[in-house]
Amino acid sequence: MRLLVVEDEIKTGDYLQKGLTEAGFLVDLARNGLDGHHLAMTEAFDLIVLDVMLPDVDGWKIIQSLREANQATPVLFLTARDSVDDRVKGLELGADDYLVKPFAFAELLARVRTLLRRGLNSALVEHMEIADLVLDLPRRRVTRGGNRINLTNREFSLLELMVRRQGEVLPRSLIASQVWDMNFDSDTNVIDVAIRRLRVKIDEPYSPKLIHTVRGMGYQLDILDDI
Ligand code: CA
């Protein structure tokens, strides 16, 4: 597994490279944003650990370029500030996870391993299942309890996102950027309408209910204990 670490702080960069190498990864270290951007765009990595505060090309730009080039390489970004805005921004741009500095190396390693596992799964798995709901990814077909369910392309993408991120509360802004490729405008109810339609198709006649509204936060797909 080959990782790219982009970090301009010498000590942190060395520490990450050493730790990840000892954990068995091949590690390329870029000490500035320009090199990081170049490597990320021209070479293949299994995962990128990305400091966002870089003096030249910042981490946001790197994430943006990757995703615009349809590169799905998982990105774990490091942010110095415990700021909600930064975290949301990174995730909206298409990063997969983040850590707030300072962090424990063990935690970074755990996140890296989880993301790599998720990446492997998404590359190899053709079917995803939750309860009796089955997604056939190559054919973009869905069944529940063995019954074929007709979804529009958009509905399928929405469901796929939710199943891939089972158990996570997905903010509307994240759903908007991943499924509609648009910035979330809180005046629009397009996401709520789409969720409602999806519910009618995959949840209403069935049990347990899989799609849940988390008030004030977003939507979640999971098997929760029905009360
Ligand atoms: Ca930095």
Side-chain angles (χ1 to χ4, degrees), residues 47-61:
L47 181 138
I48 300 173
V49 178
L50 179 64
D51 179 31
V52 290
M53 297 294 285
L54 299 163
D56 44 3
V57 179
D58 68 23
W60 308 131
K61 171 71 187 152

Side-chain angles (χ1 to χ4, degrees), residues 17-222:
Q17 186 175 39
K18 183 166 176 281
L20 289 167
T21 304
E22 281 170 2
F25 298 103
L26 290 172
V27 183
D28 285 33
L29 174 63
R31 295 198 185 271
N32 60 62
L34 203 61
D35 289 351
H37 188 267
H38 178 72
L39 281 170
M41 296 302 290
T42 54
E43 308 218 2
F45 296 97
D46 296 293
L47 181 138
I48 300 173
V49 178
L50 179 64
D51 179 31
V52 290
M53 297 294 285
L54 299 163
D56 44 3
V57 179
D58 68 23
W60 308 131
K61 171 71 187 152
I62 296 176
I63 300 171
Q64 215 167 2
S65 299
L66 274 172
R67 297 309 181 236
E68 278 170 11
N70 287 320
Q71 297 238 29
T73 318
V75 174
L76 171 67
F77 71 93
L78 309 175
T79 168
R81 290 170 296 170
D82 188 7
S83 135
V84 174
D85 283 353
D86 267 16
R87 282 180 255 161
V88 170
K89 182 175 181 183
L91 296 173
E92 281 183 0
L93 285 173
D96 300 88
D97 203 355
Y98 64 88
L99 272 177
V100 176
K101 290 181 174 180
F103 51 83
F105 183 76
E107 187 173 9
L108 176 110
L109 191 56
R111 301 286 182 99
V112 164
R113 288 189 166 137
T114 301
L115 287 174
L116 287 171
R117 217 162 26 229
R118 197 194 279 171
L120 278 182
N121 290 343
S122 62
L124 298 175
V125 166
E126 297 200 332
H127 288 77
M128 294 194 294
E129 288 185 35
I130 171 168
D132 54 352
L133 177 79
V134 181
L135 275 73
D136 173 344
L137 298 173
R139 289 171 197 79
R140 293 178 79 79
R141 278 189 195 157
V142 179
T143 59
R144 183 143 190 202
N147 302 314
R148 174 84 181 271
I149 298 170
N150 287 313
L151 297 184
T152 64
N153 248 331
R154 191 83 82 185
E155 287 166 347
F156 188 91
S157 300
L158 174 60
L159 183 62
E160 183 184 350
L161 171 72
M162 297 186 83
V163 172
R164 278 194 194 282
R165 304 186 65 161
Q166 180 188 339
E168 289 180 48
V169 178
L170 306 175
R172 288 176 178 78
S173 53
L174 178 90
I175 295 173
S177 65
Q178 303 256 316
V179 179
W180 274 264
D181 198 20
M182 67 177 193
N183 289 321
F184 182 60
D185 168 3
S186 53
D187 290 338
T188 170
N189 64 348
V190 55
I191 289 155
D192 305 278
V193 170
I195 292 271
R196 205 177 307 142
R197 291 214 179 110
L198 194 56
R199 270 187 165 142
V200 168
K201 291 183 180 180
I202 71 145
D203 257 353
E204 223 166 73
Y206 302 98
S207 176
K209 304 301 175 205
L210 297 174
I211 298 175
H212 309 280
T213 306
V214 183
R215 201 170 290 276
M217 295 182 72
Y219 294 101
Q220 175 189 31
L221 186 143
D222 208 352

